[in-house]
């Protein structure tokens, strides 16, 4: 009887070392800040149980924004653009019994990249994205004769960069030098009101104390002396994305309401004017993209207040609207043992363990960890 030959095995994998920190869709997650280097370490493994046809294994890393949209007049024509912020290339040393063959065995290499904290944070949006991706290629591993193509695997890393001063999640106000941002307006030249947030720069997941203030109806208006009656209010976070491509003047704009919180109770009823502070929890990434400004992709944010005002003698409520432009970044500090991604967690401000541990010393010119081969 003929013995059954063992099945052929060929595996190519990428493992990014971020510990237990997991981002959206299970992606490895890292935080970056101007205070410390963000270093990504990845291990690329290639295993083959037999000598296989291939030219070798190469490893790539790229951080880039990419935009794509259809032509306005010819929908089948796609316009694309890419801005590469960082890229790097390595080779995995493998045994080559003869040209065009990779010898059987298990091969591994650890590679490292240092990320600039000023790079845009990861985002996936309609018409474009910002991605940090490791790629491994077994060159010429598929197909026949001269038409052989690469076998490729990818591993994206979710990167959240911050420009905030060091603070703990849940702190209401950013440091004292951060000036509040206010919008002062008037309804019908009769009712002054204002919307105020503690800083122009806010961070994902932050509990933001939003101040709403109304003054009495102006004495020269026909509503002077009337009671101010607010039926309800809505706090909205708008995200505006601008997409550009090369050689095309058109700019695609996409506006999305990424947060909407209604508050229909607790509004004072008085003719004397009042102030009220509402604590609003901002959404987390990727429900909200972080503010970005690059050649082909821009992401900006606005905080909007809508209020329904009931005025005596009018059947329908009047609309009051105020808007302030803000920036959204990532929080600077991260818990030592991150929760499952997307959960709301309360932190103890006095816990020193919440401070992100300092990164290991790293010399960009230092020889990176080398190759390993196991038979």
């Amino acid at each position: 009887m003929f013995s059954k030959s063992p099945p052929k095995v060929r595996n190519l994998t990428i493992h990014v070392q971020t510990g237990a920190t997991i981002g959206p869709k299970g992606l490895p997650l890292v935080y970056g800040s101007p205070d410390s280097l963000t270093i990504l370490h990845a291990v690329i493994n290639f295993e083959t149980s037999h000598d296989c046809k291939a030219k070798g294994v190469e490893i790539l890393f790229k951080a880039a924004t990419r935009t794509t949209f259809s032509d306005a007049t010819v929908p089948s024509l796609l316009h694309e653009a890419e801005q590469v912020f960082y890229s790097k290339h390595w080779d995995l040393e493998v045994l080559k019994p003869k040209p065009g063959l990779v010898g059987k065995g298990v091969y591994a290499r650890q590679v490292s990249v240092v990320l600039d904290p000023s790079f845009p944070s990861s985002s996936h949006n309609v018409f474009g994205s910002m991605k940090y991706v490791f790629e491994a290629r077994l060159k010429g591993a598929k197909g026949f004769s001269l038409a052989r193509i690469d076998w490729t695997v990818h591993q994206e890393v979710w990167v959240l960069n911050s420009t905030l001063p060091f603070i703990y999640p849940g702190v209401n106000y950013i440091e004292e030098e951060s000036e509040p941002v206010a919008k002062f307006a008037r309804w019908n030249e009769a009712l002054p009101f204002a919307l105020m947030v503690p800083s122009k720069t806010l961070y994902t997941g932050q509990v933001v104390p939003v101040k709403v203030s109304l003054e009495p109806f102006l004495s020269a208006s026909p509503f002077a002396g009337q009671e101010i009656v607010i039926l309800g209010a809505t706090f909205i976070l708008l995200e505006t994305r601008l997409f550009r491509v090369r050689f095309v003047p058109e700019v695609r704009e996409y506006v999305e309401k990424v947060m909407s919180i209604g508050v229909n109770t607790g509004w004072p009823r008085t003719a004397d004017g009042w102030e009220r502070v509402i604590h609003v929890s901002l959404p987390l990434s990727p429900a909200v993209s972080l503010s970005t400004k690059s050649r082909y992709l821009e992401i900006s944010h606005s905080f909007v207040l809508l209020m329904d005002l009931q005025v005596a003698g009018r059947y329908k409520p009047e609309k009051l609207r105020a808007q302030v432009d803000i920036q959204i970044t990532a929080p600077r500090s991260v818990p030592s043992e991150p929760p499952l991604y997307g959960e709301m967690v309360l932190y103890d401000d006095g816990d020193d363990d919440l401070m992100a541990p300092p990164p290991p010393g790293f010399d960009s010119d230092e020889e990176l960890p080398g190759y390993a081969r196991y038979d």
Side-chain angles (χ1 to χ4, degrees):
M1 295 182 64
F2 295 101
S3 61
K4 205 171 186 180
S5 59
K8 291 184 176 180
V9 176
R10 192 174 63 174
N11 291 319
L12 180 61
T13 61
I14 303 171
H15 175 66
V16 179
Q17 301 168 326
T18 61
T21 314
I22 305 299
K25 298 182 180 179
L27 294 178
L29 169 67
V30 295
Y31 291 89
S33 76
D35 297 337
S36 61
L37 295 175
T38 301
I39 307 173
L40 291 180
H41 301 290
V43 176
I44 289 76
N45 294 284
F46 175 60
E47 175 186 3
T48 176
S49 62
H50 58 286
D51 293 351
C52 63
K53 289 185 177 180
K55 299 176 183 177
V57 179
E58 66 176 4
I59 306 161
L60 305 169
F61 175 80
K62 184 164 66 172
T65 55
R66 186 174 183 83
T67 54
T68 305
F69 56 76
S70 301
D71 188 86
T73 56
V74 186
S76 60
L77 177 61
L78 285 180
H79 300 292
E80 298 179 326
E82 183 179 63
Q83 181 179 1
V84 178
F85 292 89
Y86 183 81
S87 64
K88 199 167 183 178
H89 171 273
W90 307 264
D91 288 310
L92 177 62
E93 189 175 85
V94 295
L95 181 65
K96 295 183 178 180
K98 61 181 181 179
L101 278 184
V102 172
K104 67 177 182 179
V106 179
Y107 308 87
R109 180 173 184 179
Q110 176 175 298
V111 298
S112 302
V113 294
V114 181
L115 299 182
D116 189 325
S118 66
F119 289 169
S121 295
S122 296
S123 64
H124 292 174
N125 300 298
V126 61
F127 306 131
S129 62
M130 172 67 195
K131 292 184 177 182
Y132 295 78
V133 180
F134 284 98
E135 180 180 296
R137 295 178 180 174
L138 185 60
K139 300 171 65 177
K142 298 165 64 177
F144 302 94
S145 187
L146 298 178
R148 299 185 70 84
I149 60 175
D150 298 345
W151 174 28
T152 305
V153 296
H154 302 85
Q155 178 60 66
E156 184 179 356
V157 183
W158 198 259
V159 177
L160 297 178
N161 286 325
S162 169
T163 56
L164 294 178
F166 188 89
I167 49 180
Y168 292 111
V171 171
N172 286 341
Y173 281 85
I174 300 173
E175 291 186 350
E176 292 181 358
E177 65 265 26
S178 297
E179 294 294 328
V181 180
K183 173 64 177 180
F184 298 92
R186 283 186 183 184
W187 170 77
N188 208 26
E189 294 300 320
L191 179 63
F193 64 98
L195 166 69
M196 181 179 293
V197 294
S199 171
K200 183 178 178 64
T201 302
L202 305 174
Y203 59 89
T204 56
Q206 181 179 0
V207 179
V208 182
V210 181
K211 182 185 290 186
V212 181
S213 62
L214 276 78
E215 297 181 16
F217 283 108
L218 297 178
S219 57
S221 76
F223 311 103
Q226 286 190 20
E227 187 178 65
I228 301 170
V229 180
I230 298 298
L231 302 179
T234 304
F235 297 87
I236 297 170
L237 180 61
L238 291 180
E239 182 170 292
T240 301
R241 307 168 198 147
L242 300 178
F243 304 89
R244 302 180 181 88
V245 292
R246 297 182 64 189
F247 312 123
V248 177
E250 180 188 3
V251 178
R252 291 286 173 92
E253 181 180 74
Y254 186 85
V255 181
E256 183 179 1
K257 188 187 298 183
V258 295
M259 182 200 75
S260 180
I261 298 175
V263 179
N264 298 322
T265 59
W267 297 103
R269 297 184 62 149
T270 175
D272 298 328
W274 46 261
E275 290 184 352
R276 186 181 180 189
V277 176
I278 302 293
H279 290 80
V280 176
S281 296
L282 298 184
L284 298 170
S285 170
V288 58
S289 301
L290 277 62
S291 300
T292 295
K293 190 168 185 179
S294 62
R295 186 179 304 163
Y296 302 117
L297 173 63
E298 287 188 33
I299 302 174
S300 58
H301 297 89
S302 299
F303 198 90
V304 179
L305 168 66
L306 299 176
M307 289 192 295
D308 291 328
L309 169 69
Q310 184 65 60
V311 180
R314 301 200 176 188
Y315 294 103
K316 292 184 179 180
E318 301 292 332
K319 295 289 186 181
L320 278 62
R321 188 182 193 279
Q323 175 175 324
V324 293
D325 295 331
I326 59 172
Q327 302 175 49
I328 302 290
T329 71
R332 180 65 54 85
S333 59
V334 252
S336 56
E337 294 183 0
L340 292 176
Y341 195 78
E343 292 188 347
M344 292 292 292
V345 178
L346 296 177
Y347 299 92
D348 179 3
D349 289 353
D351 188 352
D352 292 337
D353 290 337
L354 292 178
M355 297 182 65
F362 186 87
D363 181 356
S364 59
D365 296 324
E366 178 184 0
E367 184 177 354
L368 295 173
Y371 307 96
R373 180 175 188 273
Y374 310 92
D375 292 323

